[in-house]
Amino acid sequence: MVKKVLKYILLALITAVFLFPLLYVIAGSLMSPSEIGAVLSPADGKFSQFKLVPDFATLEQYYQVFFRRPEYLLRFWNSVIVTFPTVIAQVAVSSLAAFAFAKLKFPFRDKLFFVYIILLILPLQVTLVPNYIVLENLHLLNTFLSVILPGAFSAFGICLLRQSIIYIPDSSIEAARIDGAGYLKIFFRVILPQIKGGLITLTLLSFIDCWNAVEQPLIYFSDTAKYPLSVVMADIGDSDFGIVFACAAMFMVIPMLIYLYGSKDIDSPFESTDK
Amino acid sequence: MKKYQKNIIIIGVVFLVIVGLLTYFSSTIDRMLLPQVKVSEPVLSDIEGNTYFINKYLIPKTALTEDGTVYVVYKDDFSDVGTVDEISVQVNAEDDIYYEIQSDHINISQSVIYAASKEFEVGGRVYIAEEA
């Protein structure tokens, strides 16, 4: 009994730690500008007092973001324009490539996959400069494609989905082939339905990655009007902490909805093959 | 697709539509919510029509408050929206339309509020509906 209580206390503490930023963002977004100013010292951004419940809840910060400062809404749409095509392209490319690496036989397949694994290990900053040079030669710098195209080819996505596909029995693919199915038909009718968990996991992870991207837009866009909200939020002045909180609250709605959509599947990307 | 997943998609679409509408109409809605004011620039002149007097201006009679102050608007850049400030003035003379006022803080580039659709605050924002 004591062990069970301790377990729940520990779980509650861990939950509180993880929920704290979320609650603090919501609480901060509901505070008045003067209250935010009192809670967070504008000079150094440190807590002068700790508060999770506003003295007087107000929607002033949301009013600022939604009506008075539409530039933040435009940046939100920049995030949407960059993220959605990147995720769709990444999932499409990764699933097709993963199918090839897992089930098709071609020369140097495993060696090529090994190269992909190396790409996975490389930090993002290492590939930024080569990508910049390639994009410059393609005259794509300062366009949304400069972020979308490199994001579409993800080594992580291919590795994740390959692990999902590799456990699908070859017999099911051979059976489909005997029935006259081609590679694409096998991919869409046999492979995809069995890797739903992996696809949703990849969708969510790549969405979060693109949604929170700061380095790529900062380097590839010279026009600040193209910056997504993730970049702009880091650059909002100290006197506008309330706007940062309101933007953050707005910014986390879409990722939360996507998580809720796939929450039943994300914990078991290999469910179909594990059991 | 399960029912809760359909509901999440509907919520997501509604959210994006609302944000889209707000993006498109935010300035219009903001202006609608602000007090609308009519402003005019002070005329550098005395009540007799002499223009060589320094610091003597004509303002519409409705621009002067009971406290002997006028409200001026400092416009935001490239916008019909501005911030209100209150300035004390000394009234020298009047006719049917104008007060002749004197103040070191008034100049001809300022916009003096002479009519407003609703109450506004000093330091608050107003929408300039008409400039005379």
Side-chain angles (χ1 to χ4, degrees):
Chain A
M1 180 66 185
V2 175
K3 203 175 172 183
K4 203 173 180 181
V5 170
L6 283 173
K7 193 172 89 177
Y8 278 111
I9 289 171
L10 182 69
L11 286 173
L13 282 172
I14 293 170
T15 307
V17 167
F18 278 92
L19 279 180
F20 172 75
L22 182 73
L23 294 175
Y24 198 77
V25 163
I26 292 168
S29 70
L30 294 174
M31 289 179 192
S32 65
S34 57
E35 196 175 352
I36 285 275
V39 171
L40 295 173
S41 165
D44 52 10
K46 288 179 182 172
F47 293 110
S48 56
Q49 54 179 297
F50 178 74
K51 198 185 270 185
L52 262 184
V53 181
D55 290 338
F56 178 73
T58 172
L59 295 175
E60 169 66 22
Q61 312 295 354
Y62 291 99
Y63 176 76
Q64 293 277 338
V65 171
F66 288 133
F67 300 114
R68 280 198 60 190
R69 313 278 287 271
E71 65 263 29
Y72 296 121
L73 295 176
L74 293 172
R75 302 299 189 274
F76 172 85
W77 286 109
N78 287 347
S79 294
V80 172
I81 290 168
V82 165
T83 304
F84 279 77
T86 307
V87 172
I88 291 166
Q90 191 179 123
V91 171
V93 169
S94 298
S95 55
L96 282 164
F99 172 54
F101 278 124
K103 293 298 175 189
L104 303 186
K105 289 181 176 61
F106 55 90
F108 308 113
R109 184 185 74 169
D110 294 336
K111 288 184 177 62
L112 205 57
F113 186 69
F114 177 72
V115 173
Y116 255 95
I117 296 284
I118 291 173
L119 281 178
L120 186 66
I121 296 164
L122 289 177
L124 170 76
Q125 290 76 7
V126 173
T127 53
L128 271 180
V129 175
N131 279 347
Y132 184 93
I133 294 165
V134 171
L135 290 166
E136 191 178 26
N137 285 314
L138 291 171
H139 303 291
L140 289 175
L141 283 179
N142 204 31
T143 66
F144 289 119
L145 274 176
S146 62
V147 176
I148 294 168
L149 271 183
F153 303 97
S154 158
F156 169 75
I158 293 169
C159 291
L160 179 78
L161 292 182
R162 180 183 175 272
Q163 289 312 111
S164 292
I165 294 171
I166 207 162
Y167 291 109
I168 295 174
D170 289 339
S171 55
S172 60
I173 294 171
E174 283 160 12
R177 198 170 285 169
I178 289 166
D179 287 343
Y183 285 127
L184 275 180
K185 203 164 191 179
I186 290 170
F187 175 72
F188 284 111
R189 296 286 173 84
V190 179
I191 302 294
L192 281 190
Q194 294 191 64
I195 58 165
K196 196 180 161 197
L199 289 173
I200 290 175
T201 306
L202 176 62
T203 302
L204 186 67
L205 293 176
S206 65
F207 187 91
I208 299 295
D209 195 31
C210 298
W211 196 246
N212 297 336
V214 173
E215 291 100 333
Q216 301 98 314
L218 211 54
I219 288 166
Y220 300 148
F221 295 157
S222 55
D223 181 6
T224 54
K226 285 195 169 74
Y227 281 171
L229 194 55
S230 52
V231 175
V232 177
M233 269 168 52
D235 199 33
I236 298 175
D238 289 348
S239 56
D240 285 329
F241 279 127
I243 287 179
V244 176
F245 284 124
C247 283
M250 175 179 71
F251 201 52
M252 65 188 180
V253 170
I254 296 290
M256 282 181 74
L257 287 175
I258 289 180
Y259 173 72
L260 288 173
Y261 181 87
S263 57
K264 295 275 166 64
D265 299 299
I266 193 169
D267 57 351
S268 55
F270 311 119
E271 185 180 30
S272 62
T273 50
D274 284 349
K275 290 173 184 175
Chain B
M1 194 185 295
K2 290 160 195 160
K3 196 181 171 188
Y4 83 93
Q5 288 179 322
K6 277 185 183 171
N7 290 337
I8 287 168
I9 286 179
I10 290 167
I11 292 168
V13 170
V14 168
F15 175 77
L16 288 176
V17 168
I18 289 172
V19 175
L21 290 173
L22 285 173
T23 309
Y24 193 77
F25 292 110
S26 59
S27 299
T28 311
I29 296 169
D30 184 32
R31 286 176 184 177
M32 283 168 60
L33 295 173
L34 291 174
Q36 296 191 4
V37 297
K38 294 178 180 177
V39 299
S40 72
E41 290 176 355
V43 180
L44 185 63
S45 168
D46 70 358
I47 207 79
E48 306 295 334
N50 301 314
T51 57
Y52 49 84
F53 292 99
I54 299 171
N55 285 346
K56 287 188 177 175
Y57 301 93
L58 298 180
I59 60 166
K61 290 190 95 167
T62 52
L64 192 74
T65 67
E66 292 173 355
D67 303 328
T69 59
V70 293
Y71 293 109
V72 294
V73 182
Y74 295 106
K75 280 169 74 170
D76 299 347
D77 290 340
F78 311 111
S79 165
D80 292 330
V81 175
T83 310
V84 178
D85 195 10
E86 190 174 13
I87 293 174
S88 295
V89 295
Q90 177 193 322
V91 179
N92 294 334
E94 64 180 292
D95 64 10
D96 292 341
I97 306 169
Y98 295 109
Y99 279 121
E100 180 198 301
I101 60 160
Q102 201 167 349
S103 172
D104 291 335
H105 305 294
I106 289 273
N107 62 63
I108 53 169
S109 66
Q110 285 173 324
S111 300
V112 176
I113 298 173
Y114 66 91
S117 63
K118 57 184 174 185
E119 283 190 12
F120 52 82
E121 294 174 349
V122 175
R125 294 165 71 244
V126 290
Y127 171 59
I128 300 168
E130 191 178 310
E131 287 185 79

